[in-house]
Amino acid sequence: VAKRTRAPLVAYRESIEAAVVARLDLDQALRRALDQDEFFLVYQPICDLASGRPTGVEALVRWQRPGHGVVGPADFIGVAEDNGLILPLGAWVLRGACRQFRRWQHAGVPVRSLAVNVSPLQLADPEFPGLVQGAQQEFGLEAGALTLEVTERVAVEDLYDAGRRLSSLRALGVRVALDDFGTGQSSLSVLRRLPIDILKLDQTFVRDAPDDESARAVLGALLALSAGLGLSAVAEGVETEAHCQTLLALGSQTGQGYTFAPPLTPEELLGWWTGQGL
Ligand code: C2E
Ligand code: CA
Ligand code: CA
Ligand code: CA
C-alpha cells in the first residue's frame, strides 16, 4: 500500500528531474549551436492586401537541432535570453538577414524592406546601435530599408530609456515596428510614448474577425488608432481570403500570413517571387 501511494510522487519527481535535464541539455545544445552553424533564417513576405504584391520580408530564425529536426524560435529564444546567448544569436540574425538582403538587391529581386526581430536584451545592449550601423554599412542598406521589430516588453523596465534607444536607432535610418501589438499589458501608454513607425497587429485580432462582429470592431479600432497616430499597420496571421477581404473592408493595406506565403528559405522565396510574376 505504501508503495502504491508513493508511486505518483516518485513519478512526479522523476518528471521534474526529466524536465530539468531536458532544459540543461537544451541550454548546452544552444551554446554549441552557434559555433556549429545550426541556425538558419527563413523569410516571410509582407504583402499589399489588395494586390498580393510583396512589399518586404520578415526574417525568422530556425534551429536545425541534431536529432530533433527543425526547432522554432518559441522553443529556444526564451532560453537564449536566459543564458545570454541572445546577444551573439541576435547579432548573427541581424547580419545574416542583411547579407541576404544585399544578395537579393544584387540579383535584382525587388525586396524593398527587411524586418528583423529584436529582443529587449539586445536593445538594452550599449553595443547594439553600433552593430546595426555596421551591418547597414557593410551590406549597403539604404535608410528606411531595415525595420527592427520590438515588443512592448522593451518598455517594461524603463519606458523613457527604451524610447531614447529607439530614437537613436531611428536616427540611423531604421524603422521601428511594435510587434504583437495589443497582446501585452500597457499597450496604449507604451504606444503613445515610444517612437515607432509601424504597428503589427497580432494574429489573435485577425483570426476571428471574418465571423465575429466584436473581433471585427476591435480590429477596426486598432486600425483607426494606428491611422490616427500616423503609423502604418501590418496585420499578422492573414491565413485566408476571408481574412484578407475583412481587413481590406476595414481599411487595412498590408499584411502577412499563410494566404500569401509561409516563412520561406531564400531559395523557396526566389521561386515564390518568380511565381508572382515580379
Ligand atoms: P512574430 O514576430 O510574431 O512572427 C510571426 C510568427 O507567426 C512566426 O512564427 C510565423 O511563422 C507565424 N506565422 C506567419 N504567418 C502565419 C499565419 O498565417 N498564421 C499563423 N497562425 N502563424 C503565422 P515563428 O517563426 O515560429 O516565430 C515565433 C516568434 O519568435 C516570432 O513571432 C518572434 O517573436 C520570435 N522570433 C522569430 N525569429 C526571431 C529572431 O530572430 N529574434 C528574436 N528575438 N525573436 C524571434
Ligand atoms: Ca515579428
Ligand atoms: Ca508578431
Ligand atoms: Ca506573434
Side-chain angles (χ1 to χ4, degrees), residues 19 32 38 88 99 135 138 141 143 163-164 172 175 222 224 235 252 263 266:
R32 280 193 304 266
E38 292 168 8
R99 181 182 296 115
E138 180 175 353
L141 273 76
R164 210 172 39 80
L172 298 174
R175 294 197 299 164
L222 290 174
S252 178

Side-chain angles (χ1 to χ4, degrees), residues 58 117 149 151 178-181 200-203 236 256:
E58 176 180 4
N117 293 284
E149 299 197 356
T151 65
L178 192 57
D179 209 348
D180 300 341
F181 179 68
K200 296 199 76 170
L201 307 182
D202 194 70
Q203 57 196 41
E236 298 185 317
Q256 70 190 95

Side-chain angles (χ1 to χ4, degrees), residues 139-189:
F139 302 112
L141 273 76
E142 286 168 7
L146 180 65
T147 298
L148 296 178
E149 299 197 356
V150 302
T151 65
E152 292 163 6
R153 286 191 299 141
V154 295
V156 168
E157 293 287 333
D158 186 340
L159 187 55
Y160 173 78
D161 202 43
R164 210 172 39 80
R165 290 173 191 281
L166 292 177
S167 293
S168 67
L169 288 168
R170 278 170 115 202
L172 298 174
V174 164
R175 294 197 299 164
V176 176
L178 192 57
D179 209 348
D180 300 341
F181 179 68
T183 60
Q185 300 293 313
S186 53
S187 301
L188 293 179
S189 56

